[in-house]
Amino acid sequence: MLSDVTTPQDLDDRFRETLAALPAPAQRRDLADPVTDDAPLTGAQLLDLFDAQVTSRQLDLAGRWLRSFGEGFYTIGSSGHEGNAAVAAALRPTDPALLHYRSGAFYCVRAAQVAADAPTPPADAPTSPAADAPDPDSEPEPAGSEAPVGGFVPYAEAARDVLRGMVASSEEPIAGGRHKVFGRADLAVVPTTSTIASHLPRAVGMGLAVERLRRLDTAGRRTGTGVRVGSGAGAAHVPWPPDAIVVCSFGDASVNHASATAAFNTAGWYDHAGLRIPVLFVCEDNGLGISVRSPEGWVEATLRAKPGIRYFSADGADPVGTYAVTQEAAAWVRRYRRPAVLHLRTIRLMGHAGADAESAYRSPAELAEDLDRDPVAATARLLVDAGVATAEELLARYDETGWQVRRLAEEVLGEPKLASAADVVSALAPRRPVRVARAVADAAARASGPGAAAREGAFGGKPPELSGPMTLAQSINAALADGLLDHPQMAVFGEDVAVKGGVYGVTKGLRDRFGAARVFDTLLDETSVLGLGLGAGLAGMLPVPEIQYLAYLHNAEDQLRGEAATMQFFSRGAFRNPMVVRVAGLAYQQGFGGHFHNDNSVAVLRDVPGLVIAVPARPDDAAPMLRTCLASAAVDGSVCVFLEPIALYHTRDLYADGDGEWLAGYPEPGSWVAGHVPIGRARVYRIGSADDLTIITFGNGVRMSLRAAAVLAEEGVGTRVVDLRWLAPLPVADIIRESSATGRVLVVDETRRSGGVGEGVIAALVDAGYVGAARRVAGVDSFVPLGPAARHVLVSPEAITDGARTLLAR
């Protein structure tokens, strides 16, 4: 009986009661006939969708059962959302899908579609990717469009996947026990770890990239179901056919999230501008965000009001209608390459998760009303009314599936779990420095060999190595141009980077040289800028987005933390989003700014596992470090933040006005290998004997510390200045070696005393057993104020000199 809280037993009992009350069909219908006279689904197809829905429902019941004795770790289920089985059936299995966590039925159907498309060649037949691929030009046949296999069999593999995720089995095929997600590369299902819309900006980026790559010159030849763009080390394999559309599902409460607003706005903005974004957003609306109701009519009004996004709606309790509307929506997006949203009305059964007591916020009448709209029961009712099956036959299928799911659950219980910290982090951020170095060497060989003529043309007949000493900004500009030449799939984008050439001129001229398809301006929204990069990387590009100021990154930081850095971790490298994010930041701008243009906080970046953070201080470091980041992104799928000190962009002098000692020549390709800067290696400057003091610093601190070291040298103090260059991973070996050499360490940290880089340096020294003297000079725990007041909270050369003298006096 129904209680005031919908339990697994309630749900099972109610379903059985519903089927028992169904009358026998007046006559039987041929499975090959439409389920109703004008339906787009045959009886066989609808019966197969019923089996997918039942499999999803039984997986939810199994999840609660596993949790009841401490062997299941995830109980957010799909009950009430099983109408998304019809959504999956109306799409192609090669349409990449980013699914929210109530997508069990969708996942089952997608797995069955792919299994049905997979050929079984003779044992001695050669395999061919092109031959194995489904025809991208054909419309999908729903699972079961042939003679129905029957019951649970087509969904067994999907069920095992889901159960493995519930019990955190290390044999789970996508995350390997790190999280319960819907994802598998061969199903074109991209794992997402949340339903709160943080994956929507990525979906827009994927749509933009799929369309851009589709329009590229066909010199990038078709291979299998994907497109190969370019050649050599710069080649990218796009795993989806050129007319694919991107599908992204989320809950109704998520329409209110800033990330969703950003995604809808960006898709509409690009559509208004005439650029194509083939994305189908699927909003599964059960009316609740845990316990918070969506006001009646709000979701529809919100979705209908999105400019540039076409609105479709369907009732998830009507599988035939849902299938027809999804077909219409998908065909529209596929044909016109424009964004649309499918508003799918659903219900939620059994609460948000296992611990959710619905009686605290829902009445028994509401729960009963939802049970009356159970989509699995609705499909069963339609099958019986149409004469496709009897209630007894459907109940037998339901029970057989339940028994098979329970059997699989017992099997996966015995599978191994992740056994160590090393196992957990193994997929986080692979580092293959030898391959990265080789990629840099290959780039150098191409630049000086077969690509030399194109390179000379791109630089107007005067390569940068012939241009004389450069500033930091000029060196970065030249390195970006070299990167665009070597990586055909690379794109540089952000606010003001194209026509204007960047607020500080760092990207000046790149759009003219490489075209608006590869260097382009975006709308003013950092979440969308990063989302475009995430999707583009996933689609096979090498994105280099720019965040105009470090202070502007913080409102979009979760796109790096929750989306970018987690992709390889939660997919064991099956998916990756290589990206080099350029960020202008740190303090010391003269005559301009205050906090928003002089942000000196990087703690939020250093806290992201696996993220690479590069801070080039000198022009002769900037180019090789950027080449390393690009190579690491291409080779290892790394997510790199290239933090550029604004105050050093146009600096020319070091010790005295006019000395030009902060300038440096640009290296010619033949010297790139010798000048390669591996991730996590510092640079050391030795002043005088270099035996008395070690200063460890980065960014603006390098220039100030070198000036302080010159003053100390006049006092007979020999100093070694260590430029960290990499804030993550820290160059720990170099820190320990150079600190031990003098026994006196001054850490000069232009970020803040609390949460600053200096804390990490001191911790590294302590962990290594360093027993010498150590002292910090760091910024005050304050935002940076406007004008001369900034000097009171920032590190100065005088503070460095005084700190060194204090340390030496011990």
Side-chain angles (χ1 to χ4, degrees), residues 642-663:
F642 200 74
L643 182 57
E644 302 164 6
I646 296 173
L648 299 178
Y649 269 149
H650 306 299
T651 297
R652 307 177 68 86
D653 306 320
L654 174 55
Y655 298 114
D657 290 347
D659 67 16
E661 292 197 34
W662 203 256
L663 302 173

Side-chain angles (χ1 to χ4, degrees), residues 113-333:
Q113 287 174 323
V114 172
D117 283 335
T120 306
D124 57 348
T127 59
S128 164
D132 290 351
D135 180 2
D137 297 322
S138 64
E139 286 303 317
E141 290 291 338
S145 59
E146 310 277 330
V149 177
F152 177 69
V153 173
Y155 310 113
E157 186 177 6
R160 190 186 296 272
D161 291 348
V162 175
L163 289 166
R164 282 173 163 165
M166 290 178 179
V167 302
S169 166
S170 62
E171 296 183 15
E172 190 270 335
I174 190 69
R178 291 167 182 82
H179 198 12
K180 189 272 182 187
V181 294
F182 292 111
R184 246 177 61 189
D186 62 322
L187 306 185
V189 175
V190 180
T192 66
T193 60
S194 176
T195 58
I196 58 165
S198 60
H199 58 298
L200 270 64
R202 180 200 293 278
V204 175
M206 287 174 66
L208 184 69
V210 165
E211 186 63 11
R212 177 189 178 276
L213 293 170
R214 187 176 81 93
R215 292 170 178 268
L216 280 181
D217 190 319
T218 53
R221 291 174 178 52
R222 289 286 303 277
T223 304
T225 60
V227 178
R228 185 165 292 279
V229 183
S231 60
H237 184 260
V238 184
W240 307 299
D243 65 343
I245 66 173
V246 179
V247 183
C248 180
S249 64
F250 53 98
D252 56 287
S254 293
V255 302
N256 306 300
H257 198 277
S259 296
T261 299
F264 294 138
N265 185 68
T266 301
W269 189 87
Y270 275 115
D271 185 78
H272 186 79
L275 296 177
R276 298 304 180 220
I277 306 283
V279 175
L280 177 61
F281 298 104
V282 180
C283 177
E284 299 190 15
D285 180 3
N286 63 29
L288 289 164
I290 305 183
S291 66
V292 179
R293 288 173 171 80
S294 294
E296 184 67 31
W298 169 251
V299 175
E300 179 177 350
T302 299
L303 296 177
R304 282 186 179 277
K306 301 300 182 186
I309 300 176
R310 183 159 178 168
Y311 177 86
F312 296 86
S313 66
D315 182 357
D318 175 10
V320 173
T322 295
Y323 178 82
V325 172
T326 306
Q327 267 199 326
E328 180 187 1
W332 189 87
V333 174

Side-chain angles (χ1 to χ4, degrees), residues 17-45:
E17 291 170 6
T18 300
L19 261 63
L22 295 178
Q27 61 182 20
R28 297 301 294 258
R29 183 180 298 266
D30 191 308
L31 290 176
D33 290 342
V35 70
T36 61
D37 291 341
D38 58 348
L41 291 171
T42 66
Q45 292 167 346

